Amino acid sequence: MTNRSGLKVGGSGQLPTTQNPQPRTPIRRLVVKVGSSVLTDARGRLLRERIEALADQLAACVRQGCHPILVSSGAIACGMAKLGLRKRPAALAQLQACAAIGQSELMHVYTLAFARSDVTVAQVLLTQEDLAGRQRLRNAKQTLLTLLHRRVVPVVNENDTVAVEEITFGDNDRLAALVCAAVEAQLLVILSDVDGLLREGRVVKRVESLRQAQRLIIAGASRQRTRGGMASKLEAARIVGHSGIPLVIANGARPNVLGGLLAGRSVGTLFVPRQKC
Ligand code: GLU
């Protein structure tokens, strides 16, 4: 199954690069990152139907022989809602406490959502530091690959109790990129509350260089509960780009966005890596 971006689920082939922009890309392993703004309402409550829809799309991927890893934010927003907080706390310890409260609820909802398709999920809490040191990186990679081999969907989040990188900047965009590079996935998809990179209100379908991306006007409402924005997405594109991995930014609120992308529709903005390493 190949789409207009040159992406394909399963099979064999080459990744798109700026030199070879339209090869048939085999997507056997992909990382899907979903932001808090996609998963929660304005009061931070988890949007169960949307989470079920996401689980259904990822379960469909598994059925097609693809191995997805989900990197999910939403713990802090969910924890805030549990504590009745309307405004994101400024103190890091408060945010970390919210994450600890929200993470278990988040996993509970994912577990139920995936169980509807008979798919098991596993919680994996990581820090960027874990993916920098050789031994920990190897441990994390082996665990993730073992889970994928067993057709389990790992649900990754930052270990917010001990790390604050993604709380202060990133909303897990960088973490998702590091995970993607670590497991040598063929694609990173970032599901956000914007349709992609915008130029004069229209989605830019394809970005060939980060310099080009930096020049583009970035759409996106100001967020109270989440961090991230386009800066961390460009950073994610840079990280995976070094490993020759393409990145797609798409709107996670749109129905079947992931299914559409992997089934051949042109969705969001595709960042094409310069070359396959
Ligand atoms: N790890 C955080 C979470 O799951 C990232 C998002 C944020 O900073 O709000 O909520």
Side-chain angles (χ1 to χ4, degrees), residues 256-271:
N256 199 32
V257 63
L258 193 56
L261 174 71
L262 297 174
R265 282 193 282 286
S266 174
V267 171
T269 301
L270 170 67
F271 287 75

Side-chain angles (χ1 to χ4, degrees), residues 42-60:
R43 291 172 63 183
R45 292 170 303 198
L46 291 174
L47 296 167
R48 281 165 200 261
E49 279 179 21
R50 193 169 286 167
I51 290 173
E52 285 177 358
L54 177 65
D56 291 348
Q57 293 171 71
L58 289 168

Side-chain angles (χ1 to χ4, degrees), residues 5-7 14-25 206-208 241 243-246 270-277:
S5 305
L7 305 172
Q14 290 180 310
L15 298 169
T17 65
T18 46
Q19 284 84 37
N20 185 13
Q22 294 278 327
R24 291 170 166 248
T25 305
R206 199 177 173 89
V207 170
E208 306 277 347
S243 300
I245 303 168
L270 170 67
F271 287 75
V272 186
R274 194 176 290 272
Q275 58 186 27
K276 168 101 177 77
C277 296

Side-chain angles (χ1 to χ4, degrees), residues 36 73-76 88 157-158 160 166-167 171-172 225-226:
S36 309
S73 303
I76 291 177
R88 186 177 168 105
N157 199 352
E158 182 178 56
D160 290 322
E166 297 295 335
I167 295 178
D171 188 26
N172 285 337
R225 292 173 292 113
T226 63

